[in-house]
Amino acid sequence: MRKHLMFLPRSLAILVLSATVFAAPFALGQQPAPQTAPAAPPQTAPQSTPPAQTPDQKTTTDQKPNNDQQPEDQNPITTFKAGVNIVQLFFNVKDKHGALIPNLVKDDFEIAEDGKQQTIKYFTAESNLPLTLGILIDASGSQRNVIDMEKEVGGAFLHQILTDKDEAFVISFDISVDLLQDFTRDVHRLQAALNKAKVNVDYTSGVPGMGGGPVPQHNSPGTLLYDAVYLSAHDMLAKEVGRKAMVLLTDGQDEGSKLRIQDAVEAAQKSDSIVYVLLCADRGFYGSIGGGYSGESEMRKLTEQTGGRVINVGNKFDKLREAFDQIAAELRSQYNIGFTPTNTKLDGSYRKLEIKNKQNYKIQARAGYYAGHSQD
């Protein structure tokens, strides 16, 4: 049975996931949340991969193995002394045709924070670090003719990308946000979770709630896309270390989220998560309702700020499969830069980042990070 996740007042904000308790502004429930103004997203500590941090022990039944200690150029996360503020950044490098560029070295790059040059403390090409991945699938009525394609190709992608070191989870969203599968390495369980995603609309009547899911209440929301991204970032990925990414299968249209697109972007940035959006849209659906969808611009904002990108696949099986292949290649062809900021203030402020390549290749990286707060 799927778990329906929704907002509660902050004093009751507890999310229970597979017998795991996380502090969060979401909770299990059977009815849509009360129509109250949303609490502001919590000001959490920075998620820019703390120094000298070893992989956390997950509180779910599937545990990531602890990596053996390796030389600095192979495992830079564990080479810094406690108390040193380290910013870590994963990114891709591409030529003008979009082809990935391998075999670059530290001296090929410069990095600046808020326009000020920074000293690169380490640099490496990362293809084997553990990956934590979230698959978010839109189950609203507009996806009714593409969701089966998304399940099939998404499952094949998981088989392709995940190794025995990696973990993933699956969330679906429509008038509620549903955790279909908690963290696991088991691709078969992930595929089964994808198969559970079901459009909550009766195809003949077009009435939400007649597809077997929750029945909407008066003024209930329609597609909680921004809320789903926030939940995935803040409640699932923020506590993880290493490489993290989300893949959204959606038309980009949000209807009724309690949070804004900027809240979703900020949560993704604070969790150090790269966001990819595969725009899957049934053009026939939008034609039948006499309008179009307008979510692409917001999805570009989300992906550009987090180091991912939007890939428009429409309702074409081959385009979706090619898009997943591209994402797999990018996640396995990343560079990793680390530096100690010259601005040592831990004031929670947003810092803009810019990586430049001396050969003028295109850099695909997140736009910045949050400096966090002092623990004093």
Side-chain angles (χ1 to χ4, degrees):
M1 180 176 180
R2 64 172 63 181
K3 301 178 177 70
H4 303 302
L5 313 177
M6 60 192 68
F7 289 98
L8 289 178
R10 184 172 298 187
S11 62
L12 300 178
I14 300 295
L15 170 65
V16 181
L17 301 176
S18 298
T20 302
V21 180
F22 295 93
F26 295 84
L28 298 175
Q30 298 299 323
Q31 298 293 334
Q35 298 297 314
T36 57
Q43 295 298 317
T44 58
Q47 301 296 332
S48 53
T49 310
Q53 188 169 10
T54 56
D56 290 340
Q57 289 290 321
K58 259 197 194 71
T59 50
T60 58
T61 56
D62 293 310
Q63 297 289 337
K64 280 185 179 176
N66 288 327
N67 292 332
D68 293 332
Q69 188 72 18
Q70 298 180 15
E72 177 174 343
D73 61 344
Q74 295 298 317
N75 192 12
I77 297 176
T78 61
T79 61
F80 295 95
K81 295 180 180 179
V84 178
N85 183 23
I86 298 296
V87 176
Q88 180 175 241
L89 186 64
F90 293 95
F91 64 97
N92 289 117
V93 182
K94 300 178 179 180
D95 65 17
K96 62 182 180 180
H97 303 293
L100 292 164
I101 304 296
N103 304 322
L104 297 176
V105 298
K106 182 174 74 172
D107 290 342
D108 291 321
F109 297 94
E110 297 176 348
I111 187 167
E113 178 184 290
D114 288 338
K116 297 180 180 179
Q117 199 73 19
Q118 304 294 311
T119 299
I120 299 173
K121 296 291 186 180
Y122 65 83
F123 175 90
T124 186
E126 296 290 2
S127 59
N128 294 316
L129 281 181
L131 171 67
T132 306
L133 182 67
I135 302 291
L136 281 65
I137 185 168
D138 187 340
S140 61
S142 62
Q143 300 298 97
R144 67 189 188 191
N145 290 330
V146 295
I147 194 168
D148 288 340
M149 173 185 74
E150 294 170 353
K151 294 176 184 179
E152 180 179 350
V153 184
F157 166 73
L158 289 169
H159 279 277
Q160 174 187 0
I161 189 70
L162 295 182
T163 71
D164 58 4
K165 302 188 290 188
D166 305 324
E167 289 191 323
F169 60 90
V170 177
I171 284 175
S172 72
F173 58 93
D174 51 1
I175 66 170
S176 62
V177 180
D178 303 319
L179 179 68
L180 302 183
Q181 176 58 57
D182 203 346
F183 289 109
T184 184
R185 296 187 190 90
D186 189 332
V187 178
H188 298 291
R189 289 170 63 185
L190 294 165
Q191 178 70 75
L194 283 174
N195 292 339
K196 292 177 187 176
K198 186 176 182 181
V199 171
N200 187 30
V201 175
D202 177 72
Y203 283 16
T204 56
S205 68
V207 178
M210 298 303 292
V215 177
Q217 305 300 306
H218 179 64
N219 292 329
S220 65
T223 309
L224 303 183
L225 171 56
Y226 304 157
D227 289 352
V229 174
Y230 182 92
L231 168 64
S232 178
H234 181 271
D235 292 60
M236 303 294 286
L237 291 170
K239 296 176 176 65
E240 303 302 307
V241 296
R243 299 185 308 140
K244 295 174 278 187
M246 280 183 259
V247 178
L248 277 64
L249 295 154
T250 180
D251 58 12
Q253 194 84 13
D254 182 277
E255 295 179 3
S257 280
K258 292 183 176 295
L259 296 176
R260 307 163 300 161
I261 182 60
Q262 186 54 41
D263 300 318
V265 171
E266 182 175 325
Q269 288 174 325
K270 287 183 175 181
S271 69
D272 283 357
S273 301
I274 300 170
V275 181
Y276 288 92
V277 174
L278 303 186
L279 282 180
C280 303
D282 177 13
R283 308 291 180 178
F285 173 86
Y286 286 98
S288 68
I289 63 175
Y293 67 97
S294 57
E296 184 171 351
S297 62
E298 302 289 48
M299 294 299 96
R300 292 197 180 279
K301 181 186 302 183
L302 173 63
T303 57
E304 289 171 2
Q305 291 295 309
T306 59
R309 59 192 180 102
V310 171
I311 306 176
N312 199 325
V313 301
N315 59 358
K316 303 298 184 182
F317 184 95
D318 289 343
K319 285 188 176 180
L320 181 59
R321 182 172 56 190
E322 180 182 345
F324 270 122
D325 287 344
Q326 292 173 15
I327 294 172
E330 291 182 15
L331 290 175
R332 294 301 182 196
S333 304
Q334 292 175 314
Y335 293 99
N336 186 6
I337 273 182
F339 68 96
T340 302
T342 54
N343 182 352
T344 59
K345 293 180 181 179
L346 298 177
D347 55 5
S349 64
Y350 180 74
R351 313 280 176 81
K352 292 182 179 180
L353 295 175
E354 183 179 13
I355 303 175
K356 292 184 178 180
N357 171 257
K358 295 178 181 178
Q359 293 91 341
N360 292 320
Y361 290 130
K362 179 182 178 181
I363 305 296
Q364 183 177 310
R366 60 183 168 130
Y369 76 102
Y370 287 85
H373 296 281
S374 172
Q375 300 301 311
D376 295 336

